[in-house]
Amino acid sequence: EKYNFHHSVLTGSCTNALEFIAQLLDIENGDEIIVPSYTYVSSANAFQSFGANIVLVDNYADSLYVNVEEIIRKINPKTKAVVVVHYNGMAQNLIELKQICEENRIVLIEDAAHSIHARYNHEYLGGFGDFSTFSFHSTKNITCGQGGLLVINNENYIERARRVKENGTNKTDFETNMVDYYSWVDHGSVHNLSEIQNVLLFAQLQEVETITSLRLKRWNYYYERLSPLIQKGELKIQSFVPTSIGNGHIFSIILKNEETRKGLQDFLHTREIDTRTHYQALHKSEFYIKNYGRQDLPYAEKLSKTLLRLPLYFELSEGEQEFIVQAIYEFMNDQN
């Protein structure tokens, strides 16, 4: 009710939620799913595992937003769905993407793994696509150790989802006394979150406003203190749609080249500051090349080589953030 989702199913993981969608889509041989190359492997693998062909698309230059024009070019009669990824809880251009999918009668899937409590056009992410998925992994803002959520906004899939969730049986009908016993009626699997994880998740969700507020405060501190370097072109951060309100999940910076990123990461390590890169672009992965061949998606590849994530977590203090910021300035000054 809070997020205005039509139908929600707690799952064992975000990957599990994506696999649930793949089962509901009844993927046939030759069906294609369009996916950004710069994303976690589950965004593609969940559908590949059920027989879909994965069609990867690039980002815009120096941006974490998927190239909408490239999506349009790659839509064809075999296209079953488009997956969009809200990196760091920053919304993609959902109004345009939703219109494109509706016009072409294909399914829009929001991979909102990063995006609990993030908004777009004053509405919460996850409520725009036919489906959306969230993660409650230990690395996410709201966590129960390992867990996920499937949101179904398209009414046409809700009834069948109940059967798929119950291992392909009509158990729901049995529990409501509509049938005398339940039996195997469809494809299905075990898509559920354990009771213990539910308890942990419930406690976290009660604090979602506080957690999000504190993470955004830390995100904004980085942004304000690093703005001079951004203005000088020494580094970039993720741009965002004006009507998008993030949730402070990740603060990543984009360096000029791979050498600069490695240099900064190594320098910060000497100060005992732990930073991380993120995804290898999927089109450069061994599995994708083996199954689909080589593809040129330069901007996704560049992100793989130049993006660096700074520490950002609930208990990070302003003093610790300032220590990190000063170290970044020290490195940049030495470069100049």
Side-chain angles (χ1 to χ4, degrees):
E1 290 175 358
K2 179 182 182 70
Y3 296 106
N4 197 31
F5 298 155
H6 289 209
H7 184 72
S8 300
V9 181
L10 287 167
T11 61
S13 66
C14 186
T15 300
N16 188 220
L18 289 163
E19 291 169 342
F20 197 148
I21 297 170
Q23 287 181 289
L24 290 173
L25 291 181
D26 280 333
I27 292 168
E28 298 177 353
N29 186 37
D31 285 345
E32 296 181 354
I33 309 290
I34 297 176
V35 182
S37 182
Y38 193 74
T39 185
Y40 186 55
V41 63
S42 293
S43 303
N45 199 35
F47 302 98
Q48 161 80 27
S49 297
F50 282 84
N53 290 328
I54 303 302
V55 177
L56 297 179
V57 291
D58 208 353
N59 295 72
Y60 290 111
D62 294 323
S63 168
L64 285 151
Y65 286 106
V66 68
N67 188 318
V68 176
E69 289 76 22
E70 191 168 330
I71 288 176
I72 294 170
R73 286 197 298 271
K74 293 191 175 181
I75 290 174
N76 65 71
K78 296 180 181 179
T79 306
K80 191 91 170 182
V82 173
V83 178
V84 293
V85 179
H86 304 308
Y87 188 91
N88 183 31
M90 294 294 195
Q92 299 286 331
N93 191 338
L94 284 165
I95 292 177
E96 183 179 9
L97 287 165
K98 188 171 183 177
Q99 182 178 351
I100 291 166
C101 289
E102 288 176 351
E103 289 174 353
N104 289 276
R105 297 183 179 181
I106 54 180
V107 171
L108 176 62
I109 301 166
E110 293 179 72
D111 184 336
H114 296 180
S115 305
I116 191 70
H117 210 68
R119 283 170 283 175
Y120 172 76
N121 275 7
H122 309 293
E123 296 181 44
Y124 288 103
L125 295 184
F128 293 86
D130 295 281
F131 300 99
S132 62
T133 61
F134 292 82
S135 173
F136 302 122
H137 185 266
S138 60
T139 57
K140 301 302 188 287
N141 294 16
I142 301 298
T143 177
C144 57
Q146 177 73 280
L149 174 69
L150 167 65
V151 177
I152 306 172
N153 295 311
N154 188 326
E155 298 286 343
N156 295 327
Y157 292 95
I158 292 175
E159 183 64 32
R160 182 153 182 250
R162 293 191 176 99
R163 299 196 298 271
V164 172
K165 177 180 181 291
E166 297 293 353
N167 230 333
T169 72
N170 58 350
K171 185 178 180 181
T172 301
D173 293 339
F174 172 73
E175 290 175 340
T176 55
N177 297 315
M178 293 177 65
V179 295
D180 294 331
Y181 51 86
Y182 64 91
S183 61
W184 184 12
V185 295
D186 205 337
H187 298 291
S189 186
V190 178
H191 297 290
N192 66 284
L193 193 64
S194 75
E195 294 298 324
I196 293 173
Q197 289 171 301
N198 271 293
V199 172
L200 294 172
L201 181 62
F202 182 68
Q204 288 264 303
L205 286 171
Q206 288 179 305
E207 300 296 329
V208 66
E209 300 277 357
T210 301
I211 291 169
T212 304
S213 176
L214 287 170
R215 293 187 72 100
L216 282 172
K217 181 179 178 181
R218 284 146 181 73
W219 194 98
N220 287 324
Y221 187 90
Y222 276 136
Y223 179 73
E224 291 168 6
R225 291 291 291 113
L226 294 173
S227 285
L229 293 176
I230 297 168
Q231 292 166 7
K232 289 168 61 178
E234 296 293 331
L235 55 85
K236 296 180 180 180
I237 68 160
Q238 179 180 3
S239 59
F240 43 87
V241 177
T243 57
S244 174
I245 301 175
N247 61 356
H249 178 54
I250 294 171
F251 192 93
S252 55
I253 57 177
I254 302 170
L255 287 308
K256 291 181 177 179
N257 50 51
E258 189 173 12
E259 293 73 25
T260 303
R261 183 185 71 176
K262 185 178 187 310
L264 175 59
Q265 188 171 27
D266 290 346
F267 178 79
L268 294 177
H269 183 72
T270 67
R271 299 292 193 272
E272 298 187 347
I273 299 169
D274 184 33
T275 60
R276 301 295 172 96
T277 60
H278 216 169
Y279 313 124
Q280 179 194 42
L282 294 180
H283 74 282
K284 298 294 290 184
S285 66
E286 178 183 343
F287 182 87
Y288 188 84
I289 293 171
K290 178 182 177 181
N291 286 275
Y292 298 98
R294 297 187 181 276
Q295 192 171 351
D296 185 25
L297 301 173
Y299 301 125
E301 186 173 348
K302 185 179 179 183
L303 284 172
S304 298
K305 296 177 179 179
T306 58
L307 184 141
L308 189 67
R309 292 179 290 160
L310 302 183
L312 198 162
Y313 50 93
F314 186 85
E315 295 162 325
L316 186 67
S317 70
E318 187 173 303
E320 288 169 326
Q321 281 193 277
E322 185 59 27
F323 179 76
I324 295 165
V325 167
Q326 290 296 335
I328 293 172
Y329 273 99
E330 184 179 350
F331 174 81
M332 292 299 182
N333 288 337
D334 288 345
Q335 297 299 296
N336 300 324

